[in-house]
Amino acid sequence: MALSVTDVVAPDTGQVVGQVPLLAEDQVPDVVGTADRAFRSWSATSLERRCQVLLDLATALAERAPALAEEYSRQHGKPVAEAKIEIDRAVDTVCWTAQAVGATTRPRTLPNRPGLAGRELRVEPAGPVLAIVPWNFAAVILARKVAPALAMGCPIIVKGPEETPCVAQAFQAAADEVGCPPGTLQTVFAEPAVVRQLVRSPRVRQISFTGSTRVGRIIAALAAENLTPCVLELGGHAPVIVTAGADLDLAAKTLVPAKFAATGQSCGSPSRFLLDRRIHDEFVDRFCHGLDGHSMGPLNSARRRDHVHRLVLDALRRGAVLRRGGTLPDTPGFHYPATVLTDVPRDAAILAEEPFGPVAPMLVYEDDDAAVAIANDCDLALSAYVFGEPGHATELAAQIDAGSVTVNAVPTAFPDAPLGGRRASGYGYEGGDEGLLAFGRLKILQTGGNLR
Ligand code: NAD
């Protein structure tokens, strides 16, 4: 039984639209103990049965998707259509995982060695998992944690986002409905102090955290107390290099919706625009023109909006030029206009801190070496983009230090591709075989007996 609640606020109006129960500190041992007990039976459940539960879960989620998209949009601020696309991607992720897990976890025979009859490499479930899910992609990131954990035989405790709780709640309801055994998936919401207690619990065997770099460092330090492995998917500040050979029409038409999707609140959002001097003016014109008639939702909270505005004001104070937006609207809720800054000086805070909002800071580069140097001159190294003649752009992409680099496109994260950051963007992978294996442990089983 939860002891307290927190308000859920609609970003469009700033009004309270609901409440979510919070886990109390003294409930943590119960939650972790339940996951630990569920581990024994769930890890012994056949792979076929676990995959069937996942496929049933996907069907139950797909049925809920239209109504859920409406509620998710209300709590998040993103348009209903965007919310629906994300939920559909979450459903796809669950299905892909059920189809992939068999091949990923198949035991592998290793070449024999003298004195042994056989050697086999097995993948076993890691144990109870704690997943901390952010509000900004509350559906797809939840699916990228829940589906592989369950597929691998691990019960999972989801610490859902208090800002957008409806998605984690819908997953829980769907899992209960399709016969996911009690304790296998537990959804909780909690204050930071209780989150830290969950992280420190020795019976949690794997942590999967997606959130800011600031909180990621706290989680990693606490997890180290029990040497609990973590996957940390942290902040990003993606550079986008637009070279002189780029198709500027394609670049602008791709980058406007990519930049302002989810009102810029995406870890992979293009957020540092590095423009070859020769195409600078034309690209800026096309990009700003692409904003005419473009609509987007509010930011998720006053805290987020104020952070974005602070970064914009800092850049302007240091000499950046305001091409679009940049003013706080006098309307209810947490809206902020699509903002374009050019001539952003290298010491502006917005080039070091993740803006996580609808701002496109742009600056000029003189040659390839300078473009790569600026792209890599940021601790956050999650994703990056290059627009240009394909051969040249691919050469630049190879020199960028980031977990994913895309040439002439800004795709979504596909279920079969491992996504992970470098340096301050975290470590470990989510998605693909690597994302499944994060919830497994390897065992080498060696058998003696051929000593003759
Ligand atoms: P956040 O780090 O502020 O919060 C994440 C969660 O951490 C919260 O739900 C909260 O429960 C918990 N938390 C907050 N403070 C804590 C503390 N002091 N101790 C323990 N737990 C604490 O992140 P957010 O604002 O919810 O999400 C946005 C961030 O997530 C951005 O930086 C974004 O780039 C990142 N993100 C990364 C990816 C990725 O795949 N790398 C994906 C989505 C979002």
Side-chain angles (χ1 to χ4, degrees):
M1 195 185 66
L3 295 180
S4 60
V5 294
T6 189
D7 289 339
V8 181
V9 174
D12 192 37
T13 60
Q15 300 294 309
V16 174
V17 287
Q19 288 187 319
V20 64
L22 295 178
L23 189 75
E25 219 159 314
D26 61 6
Q27 295 174 304
V28 168
D30 273 358
V31 169
V32 177
T34 299
D36 199 30
R37 283 189 297 280
F39 178 56
R40 267 165 257 155
S41 53
W42 186 244
S43 58
T45 301
S46 72
L47 185 64
E48 291 68 30
R49 174 69 197 139
R50 295 200 304 254
C51 290
Q52 191 54 54
V53 168
L54 282 182
L55 293 173
D56 293 347
L57 174 64
T59 305
L61 284 170
E63 281 163 10
R64 287 170 162 76
L68 182 57
E70 302 266 349
E71 199 179 351
Y72 184 27
S73 162
R74 199 161 33 250
Q75 294 180 354
H76 185 295
K78 64 170 135 188
V80 177
E82 266 186 51
K84 174 72 168 49
I85 289 169
E86 192 200 326
I87 295 165
D88 291 346
R89 282 175 52 210
V91 171
D92 287 348
T93 300
V94 176
C95 294
W96 178 86
T97 307
Q99 281 145 15
V101 66
T104 309
T105 56
R106 194 167 294 138
R108 194 151 55 91
T109 303
L110 299 180
N112 211 358
R113 294 287 181 181
L116 291 175
R119 296 192 304 152
E120 189 176 87
L121 187 61
R122 294 186 174 180
V123 185
E124 298 184 346
V129 170
L130 171 65
I132 302 167
V133 177
W135 53 268
N136 68 322
F137 282 98
V140 81
I141 291 175
L142 183 68
R144 285 163 75 88
K145 297 182 192 298
V146 169
L150 293 182
M152 294 293 287
C154 303
I156 181 165
I157 301 162
V158 168
K159 205 300 282 173
E162 292 73 31
E163 297 88 340
T164 52
C166 64
V167 183
Q169 289 167 331
F171 259 68
Q172 182 72 60
D176 294 345
E177 182 185 293
V178 303
C180 199
T184 308
L185 170 63
Q186 298 180 83
T187 301
V188 302
F189 300 93
E191 297 278 8
V194 178
V195 175
R196 292 196 290 273
Q197 213 186 326
L198 284 163
V199 170
R200 297 176 77 175
S201 172
R203 282 185 290 172
V204 166
R205 302 290 188 203
Q206 177 68 42
I207 294 169
S208 178
F209 172 79
T210 302
S212 64
T213 298
R214 182 186 69 83
V215 178
R217 290 185 205 280
I218 296 172
I219 303 291
L222 294 175
E225 291 178 9
N226 294 312
L227 298 179
T228 309
C230 292
V231 170
L232 299 176
E233 299 280 353
L234 309 180
H237 202 346
V240 47
I241 298 175
V242 184
T243 69
D247 174 339
L248 297 185
D249 192 41
L250 171 80
K253 281 190 175 139
T254 306
L255 287 166
V256 167
K259 170 67 248 178
F260 299 103
T263 317
Q265 299 165 114
S266 163
C267 57
S269 179
S271 52
R272 292 179 291 139
F273 288 69
L274 316 181
L275 311 177
D276 186 302
R277 180 174 295 287
R278 289 166 285 177
I279 51 84
H280 174 274
D281 293 354
E282 191 180 344
F283 177 79
V284 172
D285 282 350
R286 283 176 188 253
F287 189 88
C288 289
H289 182 66
L291 279 170
D292 294 339
H294 186 84
S295 67
M296 63 182 185
L299 286 152
N300 182 255
S301 65
R303 177 175 70 92
R304 284 268 152 238
R305 183 197 53 196
D306 295 348
H307 171 72
V308 167
H309 194 50
R310 183 177 63 74
L311 291 177
V312 169
L313 293 182
D314 170 80
L316 293 176
R317 241 191 331 268
R318 291 171 195 271
V321 176
L322 184 64
R323 301 295 182 121
R324 280 283 179 134
T327 47
L328 273 176
D330 185 19
T331 52
F334 313 127
H335 294 267
Y336 197 80
T339 298
V340 179
L341 299 168
T342 58
D343 305 276
V344 176
R346 293 285 297 280
D347 64 350
I350 199 165
L351 295 184
E353 283 180 50
E354 180 184 25
F356 216 56
V359 190
M362 302 189 178
L363 58 153
V364 165
Y365 71 80
E366 302 296 344
D367 58 34
D368 286 358
D369 288 348
V372 170
I374 301 170
N376 288 334
D377 185 23
C378 179
D379 286 344
L380 297 163
L382 184 64
S383 23
Y385 311 94
V386 185
F387 283 78
E389 180 279 313
H392 178 223
T394 306
E395 271 172 34
L396 294 183
Q399 298 173 59
I400 296 178
D401 182 23
S404 86
V405 188
T406 309
V407 169
N408 290 331
V410 182
T412 56
F414 297 108
D416 60 351
L419 181 68
R422 299 181 182 181
R423 296 183 279 133
S425 288
Y427 45 72
Y429 295 93
E430 198 161 78
D433 291 343
E434 293 76 4
L436 273 158
L437 291 171
F439 299 105
R441 297 290 180 262
L442 298 183
K443 178 185 279 175
I444 298 187
L445 186 65
Q446 308 187 108
T447 318
N450 67 342
L451 294 176
R452 271 179 296 146

